[in-house]
Amino acid sequence: MRMTFRWFGEGNDTVSLKHIKHIPGVEGIVWSLHDLAAGVEWPMDKILEVKKQADEVGLNIDVVESVNIHEDIKLGLPTRDEYIENYKKTIKKLGKVGVKVICYNFMPVFDWTRTDLFKELEDGSTALFYEKAIVDDMDPLQLVSMISDNPDFTMPGWEPERLKQLSSLFEAYKEVSEEDLWDNLKYFLEEIIPVAEENDIKMAIHPDDPPWPIFGLPRIMTCKENLRRLLSLVDSPSNGLTLCSGSLGANPENNVADMVREFADRIPFAHIRNVKVYENGDFVETSHRSEDGTVDIYEIVKAYHEVGFTGYARPDHGRHIWDEKCRPGYGLYDRGLGIMYMWGIWDSLTRMKEEVN
């Protein structure tokens, strides 16, 4: 397991590269060019700038999250080919600087969805929270207003240029079924996977967050069967998964450890985090510790250990603790604690294996 840490760039993150380097076992950053709109070709000078910053502190830039996909690709519009060509050019550039994994998602309109960015927990910390009844009854524009009311940081997946087109996007998706979305995803993968293969890059799709339809929009990366179908669309080692325990774990019917064991050779990137799921469908993000949530993080890390996982992993969303002022879900302290919890499990499993042998 190769540990990484998500970083949003200088001036866009409260966490410094120097502080990331202090976390034991972290060897790279998970990064993106967050100021660029979906669908554009990434400029090489901006890519090299991030590489230079990471090189200066001895961190790699092997994992990119995300090269966002233009909505025209998801909608299957004739204009998609232009944006796919830009995507291919970006893949080639990233390959030249040593990038090994590109995480992306295929969620229509919205990326991750929450109703409270700072829900107070019993211990006084705060965390990202999803209240099902609010989403069921809420106008999408209200949700946009709530998420966007965080002027200090850009919110990945909630880019202003995309959300300005919200009404027209919802109108466009009225004619798009789940099967249409599958067809459009297949078209995209058939175009870009050969380019990824040529450049020694693994594409790793992120599950839908949460893993069910919202606001009547189709969602397809939701369960083991659908992940299996995704991998069969283009059967290539470069067509892989970002297996996110928190996104999939929001549905208690999803057994993430089983997914690790089944898809082991097609998981180049792992997001490891915990959520506490309530009977009414609400969920809140917790510490990584298994006992604090519904997702058995110990069993998931154990599954990765059993299969000999050598891919990249990162602690996903953390709580906001110790009065840290940070991007929602992306502080230094709780994610640092999460890494040490994962290393504690991993090292114990390694020691036990050595003692048995």
Side-chain angles (χ1 to χ4, degrees), residues 164-191:
K164 286 177 183 176
Q165 308 171 38
L166 196 65
S167 297
S168 59
L169 282 174
F170 267 88
E171 188 66 29
Y173 274 105
K174 282 184 179 179
E175 305 301 321
V176 179
S177 66
E178 285 192 1
E179 285 303 314
D180 291 330
L181 197 59
W182 277 111
D183 290 343
N184 297 338
L185 176 54
K186 183 177 182 181
Y187 184 95
F188 172 70
L189 291 175
E190 287 176 340
E191 289 290 320

Short mmCIF file of all heavy atoms in Angstrom, two decimals, residues 164-191:
data_model
loop_
_atom_site.label_atom_id
_atom_site.label_comp_id
_atom_site.label_asym_id
_atom_site.label_seq_id
_atom_site.Cartn_x
_atom_site.Cartn_y
_atom_site.Cartn_z
N LYS A 164 -23.73 27.12 -13.09
CA LYS A 164 -24.46 28.21 -13.74
C LYS A 164 -25.43 27.65 -14.78
O LYS A 164 -26.41 28.30 -15.14
CB LYS A 164 -23.49 29.18 -14.42
CG LYS A 164 -22.74 30.08 -13.44
CD LYS A 164 -21.75 30.96 -14.17
CE LYS A 164 -20.93 31.81 -13.21
NZ LYS A 164 -19.89 32.61 -13.92
N GLN A 165 -25.14 26.45 -15.27
CA GLN A 165 -25.97 25.83 -16.31
C GLN A 165 -26.95 24.81 -15.74
O GLN A 165 -27.43 23.94 -16.45
CB GLN A 165 -25.06 25.14 -17.33
CG GLN A 165 -23.96 26.00 -17.90
CD GLN A 165 -22.97 25.19 -18.71
OE1 GLN A 165 -23.34 24.27 -19.44
NE2 GLN A 165 -21.70 25.52 -18.59
N LEU A 166 -27.22 24.91 -14.45
CA LEU A 166 -27.97 23.86 -13.77
C LEU A 166 -29.33 23.57 -14.42
O LEU A 166 -29.67 22.41 -14.67
CB LEU A 166 -28.16 24.24 -12.30
CG LEU A 166 -28.58 23.10 -11.38
CD1 LEU A 166 -27.48 22.05 -11.29
CD2 LEU A 166 -28.90 23.61 -9.99
N SER A 167 -30.10 24.60 -14.69
CA SER A 167 -31.44 24.39 -15.26
C SER A 167 -31.37 23.67 -16.60
O SER A 167 -32.13 22.72 -16.85
CB SER A 167 -32.17 25.73 -15.40
OG SER A 167 -32.37 26.32 -14.14
N SER A 168 -30.46 24.10 -17.47
CA SER A 168 -30.36 23.48 -18.78
C SER A 168 -29.83 22.05 -18.67
O SER A 168 -30.22 21.17 -19.46
CB SER A 168 -29.47 24.31 -19.71
OG SER A 168 -28.16 24.44 -19.16
N LEU A 169 -28.95 21.80 -17.71
CA LEU A 169 -28.43 20.44 -17.53
C LEU A 169 -29.53 19.49 -17.08
O LEU A 169 -29.64 18.36 -17.57
CB LEU A 169 -27.29 20.44 -16.52
CG LEU A 169 -25.93 20.93 -17.02
CD1 LEU A 169 -24.93 21.02 -15.88
CD2 LEU A 169 -25.40 20.01 -18.12
N PHE A 170 -30.36 19.93 -16.14
CA PHE A 170 -31.46 19.08 -15.70
C PHE A 170 -32.42 18.79 -16.85
O PHE A 170 -32.93 17.67 -16.97
CB PHE A 170 -32.20 19.73 -14.52
CG PHE A 170 -31.70 19.30 -13.18
CD1 PHE A 170 -30.66 19.97 -12.58
CD2 PHE A 170 -32.25 18.20 -12.54
CE1 PHE A 170 -30.18 19.57 -11.33
CE2 PHE A 170 -31.78 17.80 -11.31
CZ PHE A 170 -30.74 18.48 -10.70
N GLU A 171 -32.63 19.76 -17.68
CA GLU A 171 -33.52 19.57 -18.84
C GLU A 171 -32.90 18.54 -19.79
O GLU A 171 -33.59 17.66 -20.31
CB GLU A 171 -33.72 20.91 -19.55
CG GLU A 171 -34.78 20.89 -20.65
CD GLU A 171 -36.18 20.62 -20.12
OE1 GLU A 171 -36.45 20.99 -18.95
OE2 GLU A 171 -36.99 20.03 -20.87
N ALA A 172 -31.58 18.65 -19.99
CA ALA A 172 -30.90 17.73 -20.91
C ALA A 172 -30.94 16.30 -20.39
O ALA A 172 -31.11 15.35 -21.17
CB ALA A 172 -29.46 18.18 -21.11
N TYR A 173 -30.81 16.12 -19.08
CA TYR A 173 -30.77 14.77 -18.52
C TYR A 173 -32.14 14.11 -18.42
O TYR A 173 -32.23 12.92 -18.11
CB TYR A 173 -30.09 14.79 -17.15
CG TYR A 173 -28.59 14.68 -17.23
CD1 TYR A 173 -27.78 15.79 -17.02
CD2 TYR A 173 -27.97 13.48 -17.56
CE1 TYR A 173 -26.39 15.71 -17.10
CE2 TYR A 173 -26.59 13.38 -17.65
CZ TYR A 173 -25.81 14.50 -17.43
OH TYR A 173 -24.45 14.41 -17.53
N LYS A 174 -33.20 14.86 -18.69
CA LYS A 174 -34.54 14.25 -18.67
C LYS A 174 -34.65 13.11 -19.68
O LYS A 174 -35.43 12.17 -19.50
CB LYS A 174 -35.61 15.31 -18.98
CG LYS A 174 -35.95 16.21 -17.80
CD LYS A 174 -37.07 17.17 -18.17
CE LYS A 174 -37.44 18.07 -17.00
NZ LYS A 174 -38.52 19.02 -17.36
N GLU A 175 -33.86 13.19 -20.74
CA GLU A 175 -33.92 12.19 -21.81
C GLU A 175 -32.85 11.12 -21.67
O GLU A 175 -32.70 10.27 -22.55
CB GLU A 175 -33.78 12.88 -23.17
CG GLU A 175 -34.78 13.99 -23.43
CD GLU A 175 -36.21 13.49 -23.37
OE1 GLU A 175 -36.47 12.36 -23.86
OE2 GLU A 175 -37.07 14.22 -22.82
N VAL A 176 -32.08 11.14 -20.58
CA VAL A 176 -30.97 10.21 -20.40
C VAL A 176 -31.32 9.18 -19.32
O VAL A 176 -31.52 9.52 -18.16
CB VAL A 176 -29.67 10.96 -20.00
CG1 VAL A 176 -28.53 9.97 -19.79
CG2 VAL A 176 -29.31 11.98 -21.08
N SER A 177 -31.40 7.92 -19.74
CA SER A 177 -31.68 6.84 -18.80
C SER A 177 -30.37 6.27 -18.26
O SER A 177 -29.27 6.64 -18.71
CB SER A 177 -32.44 5.72 -19.51
OG SER A 177 -31.62 5.11 -20.50
N GLU A 178 -30.46 5.35 -17.32
CA GLU A 178 -29.26 4.68 -16.83
C GLU A 178 -28.53 3.95 -17.95
O GLU A 178 -27.30 3.98 -18.03
CB GLU A 178 -29.61 3.71 -15.69
CG GLU A 178 -29.92 4.38 -14.37
CD GLU A 178 -29.98 3.40 -13.23
OE1 GLU A 178 -29.76 2.18 -13.46
OE2 GLU A 178 -30.25 3.84 -12.10
N GLU A 179 -29.30 3.29 -18.82
CA GLU A 179 -28.66 2.57 -19.93
C GLU A 179 -27.98 3.53 -20.90
O GLU A 179 -26.92 3.22 -21.46
CB GLU A 179 -29.69 1.70 -20.67
CG GLU A 179 -30.06 0.44 -19.91
CD GLU A 179 -28.85 -0.43 -19.57
OE1 GLU A 179 -28.00 -0.65 -20.47
OE2 GLU A 179 -28.74 -0.88 -18.41
N ASP A 180 -28.58 4.70 -21.10
CA ASP A 180 -27.93 5.71 -21.93
C ASP A 180 -26.60 6.13 -21.31
O ASP A 180 -25.58 6.28 -22.02
CB ASP A 180 -28.83 6.95 -22.07
CG ASP A 180 -30.07 6.69 -22.90
OD1 ASP A 180 -30.02 5.82 -23.80
OD2 ASP A 180 -31.11 7.34 -22.62
N LEU A 181 -26.59 6.31 -20.00
CA LEU A 181 -25.37 6.71 -19.31
C LEU A 181 -24.30 5.62 -19.43
O LEU A 181 -23.12 5.91 -19.64
CB LEU A 181 -25.68 7.01 -17.84
CG LEU A 181 -24.62 7.81 -17.07
CD1 LEU A 181 -24.38 9.16 -17.71
CD2 LEU A 181 -25.04 7.98 -15.60
N TRP A 182 -24.73 4.35 -19.32
CA TRP A 182 -23.79 3.24 -19.54
C TRP A 182 -23.20 3.30 -20.96
O TRP A 182 -21.98 3.12 -21.14
CB TRP A 182 -24.50 1.91 -19.35
CG TRP A 182 -24.61 1.42 -17.93
CD1 TRP A 182 -25.75 1.32 -17.19
CD2 TRP A 182 -23.55 0.96 -17.10
NE1 TRP A 182 -25.47 0.84 -15.94
CE2 TRP A 182 -24.12 0.59 -15.86
CE3 TRP A 182 -22.17 0.83 -17.27
CZ2 TRP A 182 -23.36 0.10 -14.80
CZ3 TRP A 182 -21.41 0.34 -16.22
CH2 TRP A 182 -21.99 -0.02 -15.01
N ASP A 183 -24.04 3.55 -21.94
CA ASP A 183 -23.57 3.62 -23.33
C ASP A 183 -22.56 4.76 -23.51
O ASP A 183 -21.54 4.60 -24.20
CB ASP A 183 -24.75 3.83 -24.29
CG ASP A 183 -25.64 2.59 -24.41
OD1 ASP A 183 -25.19 1.49 -24.04
OD2 ASP A 183 -26.79 2.75 -24.87
N ASN A 184 -22.85 5.89 -22.88
CA ASN A 184 -21.97 7.05 -23.01
C ASN A 184 -20.64 6.81 -22.29
O ASN A 184 -19.58 7.27 -22.76
CB ASN A 184 -22.66 8.30 -22.49
CG ASN A 184 -23.91 8.64 -23.29
OD1 ASN A 184 -24.06 8.21 -24.44
ND2 ASN A 184 -24.82 9.38 -22.69
N LEU A 185 -20.70 6.10 -21.18
CA LEU A 185 -19.47 5.76 -20.47
C LEU A 185 -18.62 4.79 -21.30
O LEU A 185 -17.40 4.94 -21.40
CB LEU A 185 -19.81 5.14 -19.11
CG LEU A 185 -18.63 4.63 -18.26
CD1 LEU A 185 -17.57 5.69 -18.05
CD2 LEU A 185 -19.14 4.09 -16.92
N LYS A 186 -19.27 3.81 -21.92
CA LYS A 186 -18.55 2.87 -22.75
C LYS A 186 -17.86 3.58 -23.91
O LYS A 186 -16.69 3.30 -24.23
CB LYS A 186 -19.50 1.79 -23.28
CG LYS A 186 -18.79 0.72 -24.11
CD LYS A 186 -19.75 -0.38 -24.56
CE LYS A 186 -19.01 -1.44 -25.35
NZ LYS A 186 -19.91 -2.52 -25.84
N TYR A 187 -18.57 4.49 -24.55
CA TYR A 187 -18.00 5.25 -25.67
C TYR A 187 -16.75 5.99 -25.23
O TYR A 187 -15.71 5.97 -25.90
CB TYR A 187 -19.06 6.23 -26.20
CG TYR A 187 -18.64 7.03 -27.41
CD1 TYR A 187 -18.98 6.61 -28.69
CD2 TYR A 187 -17.92 8.22 -27.27
CE1 TYR A 187 -18.61 7.34 -29.82
CE2 TYR A 187 -17.53 8.95 -28.39
CZ TYR A 187 -17.88 8.51 -29.65
OH TYR A 187 -17.50 9.23 -30.76
N PHE A 188 -16.84 6.64 -24.07
CA PHE A 188 -15.71 7.39 -23.52
C PHE A 188 -14.52 6.46 -23.24
O PHE A 188 -13.38 6.75 -23.64
CB PHE A 188 -16.16 8.09 -22.23
CG PHE A 188 -15.06 8.73 -21.45
CD1 PHE A 188 -14.41 9.86 -21.92
CD2 PHE A 188 -14.67 8.21 -20.22
CE1 PHE A 188 -13.38 10.46 -21.19
CE2 PHE A 188 -13.65 8.80 -19.48
CZ PHE A 188 -13.01 9.93 -19.96
N LEU A 189 -14.79 5.33 -22.60
CA LEU A 189 -13.71 4.40 -22.25
C LEU A 189 -13.06 3.79 -23.49
O LEU A 189 -11.83 3.62 -23.54
CB LEU A 189 -14.24 3.30 -21.34
CG LEU A 189 -14.64 3.73 -19.93
CD1 LEU A 189 -15.28 2.56 -19.18
CD2 LEU A 189 -13.44 4.27 -19.15
N GLU A 190 -13.86 3.44 -24.48
CA GLU A 190 -13.28 2.87 -25.70
C GLU A 190 -12.33 3.85 -26.38
O GLU A 190 -11.38 3.43 -27.05
CB GLU A 190 -14.40 2.45 -26.64
CG GLU A 190 -15.15 1.20 -26.18
CD GLU A 190 -16.32 0.84 -27.07
OE1 GLU A 190 -16.80 1.73 -27.82
OE2 GLU A 190 -16.76 -0.32 -27.02
N GLU A 191 -12.58 5.13 -26.19
CA GLU A 191 -11.72 6.16 -26.79
C GLU A 191 -10.45 6.40 -25.98
O GLU A 191 -9.35 6.54 -26.55
CB GLU A 191 -12.50 7.48 -26.92
CG GLU A 191 -13.57 7.46 -27.99
CD GLU A 191 -12.97 7.43 -29.39
OE1 GLU A 191 -11.97 8.11 -29.63
OE2 GLU A 191 -13.51 6.70 -30.24
#
